[in-house]
Amino acid sequence: MTSEGYVSEELTLVWLLLITTVLTSFFIQRYQVQFIPPSGAAMILGMVCGGIVKVAGFHSGLRFSPAAFFYGLLPPIVFAAGFTLKKRDFFRNFGTITVFAVPGTFISALFFGSITYGLVAIKVVSRSHLGTAPLIECLLYGALISATDPVATLSIFADMDVPPVLYNVVFGESVLNDATAIVLFRTLEEFYETPLSWGTVPLMFWRFFVIAAGSIIIGLAVAYGCAFILKRFQLSPGADTRQGGPAFNETIYEIALVVMSAYLAYLLSETLALSGIVTLFFTGICHAHYTYYSVSKEAAITLKRLFEFAAFLSEMFVFAYLGLQVGNIRKGMDVGLLITGVPLVLLSRAVNIYPLAYLVNKGRRLPLPRNLQHTLFACGLRGAVAYGLAVNLPNIDAESDEGIPAIESATLVIVLVSTLLFGGITGPMVRHLGLQGLNDQAVHAIGYQELNESMDPSAAAHAVREISENPDTAHAMWKQLDRTYLKPLFGGRSGGQPHLYELGDDADEAEGLQDEASPHHVLEMQGSGLGHMQSGLSSVEADVEAYQPPYASDPAFSPTHRGQARTGNGLPHDNAEDT
């Protein structure tokens, strides 16, 4: 087939698939279809299209391209995650998120890889389907399969009025987890030709620390540099008047600088063998905190919508793209890997979440209750990052660029099952666990009561209220540093000032936000129900007294009294947690 034929047939088919996916997602969101998330529908449409492409006979050109994914599709998603982040909630739970995302990913990867290697040793998995270093390959498999992608879950959370702490922990863990999994994967790759020993373990951890720290530094340095320049573009805070002739439009220059500097940070990090995901995520956070408030109103609105659009379109295409790969499954599949993949993913997720949640609750003043832990366990879906790394596995044949087909096929099956099955049951699971309609203080009060079984709901709610009102010294120090030294240099929203560029938002909601609010706060408020502020002690007591988990008959869970009370989903207090 000529190159012109490729463009006219295969590319046209893919573009039609993307349009169909967008339309399907629209109807799912508009009519609140519960049994399938938009990402699952995109994947199914991709599978159908993949079948059509294979029958038509030109499927080879649609094989998953790691370069297209990691350099074209992933950056908009990651940057939008940082740019639209609810920073106050994220950093309040940062300790918990980091524990689940970093040590948790290491635990999941080592557990999964070690068990898989054991299956190779007892010949459940065929040794011939792996390469020359089976132990490293199994650990690489464990590292890549530990990358979570809860897009399906988060889209359902946004429509269900779940506690903000649940949304933020799942969201934050997924971003840092992907970065951790990629760094661990690349670190293990460096030891592919080197026999593992106890001496290499400290080197691996040191390499991980260098990559993580270097990635954050690059992201912040580039973002601060861009913010410094754009701050000098501004005539006065919030001003729309710009110098220049009638044809001069400064807005396009502001947008270009933000977008291009963000991608520059990603490229620099990848060039230096660091983590582009970590770099781009923190670049997005920094741009949202400083740069967004230095640009003109038109540029701010455009940037906000541009990143939302780019992330949405990339996510839909990624899931449809994954579905297309079903038609490209290659020879060399291993039955042992296919059968054991999903059970091992569930086991490795459990080994991650439950022991670490127990340790986290020892350090948190406001503990995570069991029903929230169960939801975290079920939200560990696998997605495109895992499959992209699987395609990038070291080649088992020097004359081929095909990687390890058995692991690639097993990874694709895990991604399909987790997205379609576990993504589809998220809504019923949240309702079954009694999390819908609870605010953060009610959730923490339930956790507090579980740790103190003799305490009644009213006392637990009162204790949570007192803890929430205690000032956070570190947070206060950061705000003082930010307002005194950083914002005068790099821009940003001044204390007490409402959001500068409202897009039809409720003014009262805007006034109630602190200066840590992100430019995406309106979408999060509307989607996750974060705009209903009911943090009074009486409402928390009502939720705690009303709450009784559906599994309360299980003696492992402490009983409470169930009623019909239901409160709104309020933003937690500024100092609601100290991990």
Side-chain angles (χ1 to χ4, degrees):
M1 181 181 296
T2 64
S3 60
E4 292 79 5
Y6 172 79
V7 170
S8 63
E9 295 176 5
E10 298 185 358
L11 189 57
T12 301
L13 185 61
V14 171
W15 204 249
L16 286 173
L17 169 63
L18 185 57
I19 293 174
T20 306
T21 300
V22 170
L23 290 174
T24 303
S25 175
F26 170 79
F27 286 110
I28 289 176
Q29 295 281 356
R30 180 171 183 175
Y31 296 104
Q32 298 183 349
V33 178
Q34 298 293 326
F35 65 90
I36 185 170
S39 55
M43 189 170 286
I44 292 174
L45 289 172
M47 293 166 64
V48 173
C49 184
I52 295 174
V53 167
K54 188 170 185 178
V55 171
F58 46 81
H59 65 281
S60 59
L62 298 179
R63 176 162 165 74
F64 189 92
S65 169
F69 172 70
F70 285 106
Y71 288 95
L73 298 173
L74 187 60
I77 299 173
V78 175
F79 184 83
F83 190 77
T84 61
L85 180 72
K86 192 72 177 179
K87 295 181 287 296
R88 181 176 53 185
D89 294 336
F90 175 81
F91 286 106
R92 182 185 297 114
N93 292 287
F94 188 72
T96 298
I97 290 169
T98 303
V99 169
F100 286 131
V102 181
T105 301
F106 273 92
I107 291 171
S108 294
L110 294 177
F111 180 86
F112 189 99
S114 300
I115 298 298
T116 302
Y117 184 69
L119 295 175
V120 174
I122 63 175
K123 299 183 179 180
V124 172
V125 174
S126 174
R127 172 68 178 79
S128 62
H129 289 153
L130 301 178
T132 58
L135 176 57
I136 288 292
E137 287 157 3
C138 289
L139 292 176
L140 285 168
Y141 183 27
L144 68 89
I145 210 62
S146 297
T148 61
D149 189 5
V151 171
T153 296
L154 293 176
S155 66
I156 294 174
F157 281 175
D159 297 327
M160 290 196 63
D161 191 23
V162 299
V165 64
L166 173 60
Y167 186 97
N168 284 290
V169 171
V170 171
F171 171 77
E173 186 214 350
S174 69
V175 174
L176 297 185
N177 163 278
D178 284 352
T180 304
I182 292 175
V183 171
L184 180 59
F185 182 88
R186 291 178 176 175
T187 303
L188 287 169
E189 272 189 316
E190 295 180 4
F191 294 92
Y192 188 76
E193 301 294 340
T194 304
L196 280 181
S197 66
W198 289 111
T200 60
V201 174
L203 294 177
M204 292 173 60
F205 280 101
W206 171 250
R207 176 63 175 155
F208 175 83
F209 172 79
V210 170
I211 290 176
S215 301
I216 294 173
I217 291 172
I218 288 178
L220 294 180
V222 173
Y224 274 123
C226 180
F228 183 84
I229 294 172
L230 287 174
K231 174 69 173 177
R232 273 67 207 162
F233 280 11
Q234 191 181 40
L235 297 179
S236 62
D240 291 324
T241 303
R242 296 294 193 265
Q243 298 175 344
F248 178 69
N249 182 3
E250 192 164 0
T251 297
I252 60 174
Y253 294 98
E254 294 171 327
I255 296 171
L257 277 175
V258 173
V259 174
M260 296 176 69
S261 68
Y263 198 65
L264 172 64
Y266 185 83
L267 294 176
L268 283 175
S269 186
E270 291 294 319
T271 301
L272 297 174
L274 301 175
S275 172
I277 288 184
V278 174
T279 296
L280 204 52
F281 179 67
F282 281 92
T283 301
I285 292 175
C286 193
H287 274 310
H289 191 64
Y290 298 105
T291 309
Y292 184 80
Y293 300 99
S294 296
V295 298
S296 64
K297 179 178 180 179
E298 292 78 8
I301 293 173
T302 303
L303 285 170
K304 179 178 178 181
R305 297 308 184 201
L306 174 65
F307 295 137
E308 290 174 0
F309 162 76
F312 164 75
L313 203 62
S314 296
E315 286 174 354
M316 289 298 99
F317 184 73
V318 163
F319 281 100
Y321 201 18
L322 286 173
L324 277 173
Q325 304 314 302
V326 174
N328 289 334
I329 290 182
R330 297 148 46 203
K331 297 179 181 179
M333 291 187 295
D334 187 278
V335 176
L337 288 177
L338 293 176
I339 294 176
T340 60
V342 173
L344 282 182
V345 163
L346 295 176
L347 283 174
S348 62
R349 182 69 177 172
V351 170
N352 170 357
I353 294 298
Y354 293 111
L356 291 183
Y358 174 81
L359 295 177
V360 162
N361 280 343
K362 294 294 184 181
R364 285 177 63 106
R365 295 185 299 172
L366 297 174
L368 303 177
R370 295 188 186 97
N371 56 349
L372 192 141
Q373 296 175 33
H374 298 329
T375 308
L376 290 176
F377 161 74
C379 289
L381 310 182
R382 270 57 179 176
V385 171
Y387 188 71
L389 292 175
V391 176
N392 264 339
L393 280 167
N395 304 333
I396 60 175
D397 184 349
E399 299 179 355
S400 172
D401 61 352
E402 298 297 319
I404 305 178
I407 291 181
E408 181 184 329
S409 301
T411 302
L412 182 59
V413 170
I414 292 171
V415 170
L416 293 173
V417 171
S418 66
T419 301
L420 297 177
L421 178 60
F422 295 105
I425 66 174
T426 297
M429 175 193 63
V430 169
R431 286 187 288 269
H432 174 74
L433 294 175
L435 286 170
Q436 187 173 14
L438 297 182
N439 65 13
D440 274 1
Q441 291 193 3
V443 169
H444 291 314
I446 294 166
Y448 202 87
Q449 190 181 6
E450 288 177 351
L451 293 181
N452 304 272
E453 297 183 0
S454 60
M455 181 176 292
D456 61 76
S458 178
H462 184 75
V464 168
R465 176 69 172 180
E466 287 188 342
I467 294 172
S468 300
E469 291 177 346
N470 289 335
D472 188 331
T473 305
H475 181 249
M477 291 175 61
W478 160 251
K479 289 177 69 174
Q480 182 65 28
L481 172 67
D482 192 38
R483 290 172 178 172
T484 306
Y485 300 104
L486 298 181
K487 286 185 176 179
L489 282 175
F490 305 110
R493 186 159 163 248
S494 59
Q497 181 185 8
H499 196 277
L500 289 175
Y501 311 129
E502 308 298 343
L503 301 178
D505 307 321
D506 189 312
D508 292 335
E509 288 181 345
E511 290 286 352
L513 294 174
Q514 303 298 321
D515 61 349
E516 290 85 355
S518 75
H520 197 51
H521 69 278
V522 177
L523 181 62
E524 288 185 321
M525 283 185 173
Q526 293 172 346
S528 301
L530 302 183
H532 307 290
M533 299 288 291
Q534 291 190 15
S535 58
L537 177 60
S538 59
S539 66
V540 178
E541 290 175 355
D543 268 343
V544 178
E545 291 175 351
Y547 173 78
Q548 181 180 10
Y551 44 80
S553 57
D554 189 332
F557 301 98
S558 58
T560 58
H561 302 287
R562 189 171 187 177
Q564 299 300 320
R566 182 175 183 269
T567 69
N569 214 358
L571 283 169
H573 191 274
D574 273 349
N575 303 303
E577 168 196 332
D578 183 17
T579 53

